């Protein structure tokens, strides 16, 4: 698989996205939240810096969700039996996604707060 063309490598990545979309409810859920974030940016007419922050946070969440899903699938393939250490590993992977998801929530709340503050200030003038 080494030294494939850019087109082939991008094709592999898109196939990975499709597989995650078909197989992983968490990936679909996170994707819908990312779409809602974009809608929030459009509705609030957010400054470009907010768009950049949202793009980074959403990309991190989706990338971590892909890593989480891939590692869980590999773990299940290599060790299908229930094992306490496997549970710990999967929990840590889910925890990584949760950390970035919480950061995204904080960014969303900060945007809404900034939007409401600017709106209230515009009413006073």
């Amino acid at each position: 698989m080494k030294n494939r063309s850019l087109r082939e490598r991008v094709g592999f990545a898109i196939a990975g996205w499709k597989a995650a979309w078909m197989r992983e409810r968490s990936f679909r859920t996170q994707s819908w939240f990312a779409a809602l974030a974009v809608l929030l940016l459009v509705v609030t007419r957010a400054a470009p810096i907010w768009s950049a922050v949202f793009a980074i946070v959403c990309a991190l969440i989706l990338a971590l969700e892909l890593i989480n899903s891939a590692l869980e699938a590999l773990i299940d393939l290599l060790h299908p039996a229930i094992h306490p250490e496997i549970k710990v590993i999967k929990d840590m992977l889910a925890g990584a996604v949760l950390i970035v998801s919480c950061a995204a929530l904080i960014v969303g709340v900060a945007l809404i707060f900034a939007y409401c503050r600017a709106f209230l200030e515009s009413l006073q003038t």
Side-chain angles (χ1 to χ4, degrees):
M1 286 256 199
K2 290 286 186 183
N3 299 321
R4 297 287 184 117
S5 70
L6 176 62
R7 183 176 180 202
E8 287 178 300
R9 292 179 301 189
V10 170
F12 298 146
I14 292 171
W17 289 351
K18 286 179 183 177
W21 181 265
M22 297 302 292
R23 295 172 57 170
E24 298 295 329
R25 178 183 291 173
S26 293
F27 184 76
R28 289 191 300 273
T29 301
Q30 298 288 8
S31 296
W32 286 117
F33 278 120
L36 284 174
V38 169
L39 182 62
L40 179 65
L41 291 170
V42 170
V43 167
T44 61
R45 297 183 193 156
I49 188 69
W50 284 108
S51 298
V53 171
F54 269 79
I56 290 167
V57 172
C58 288
L60 281 171
I61 291 170
L62 293 175
L64 272 175
E65 194 62 57
L66 286 170
I67 292 167
N68 179 35
S69 298
L71 287 173
E72 283 188 354
L74 179 62
I75 290 166
D76 290 342
L77 181 67
L78 296 176
H79 198 291
I82 295 173
H83 189 280
E85 279 302 306
I86 297 296
K87 180 187 180 323
V88 170
I89 293 166
K90 288 183 174 186
D91 289 349
M92 287 190 289
L93 288 165
V97 176
L98 182 60
I99 287 170
V100 181
S101 297
C102 289
L105 184 59
I106 291 167
V107 168
V109 169
L111 171 64
I112 292 169
F113 179 76
Y115 176 77
C116 290
R117 184 176 172 195
F119 178 74
L120 291 174
E121 287 175 0
S122 72
L123 292 177
Q124 292 176 351
T125 57

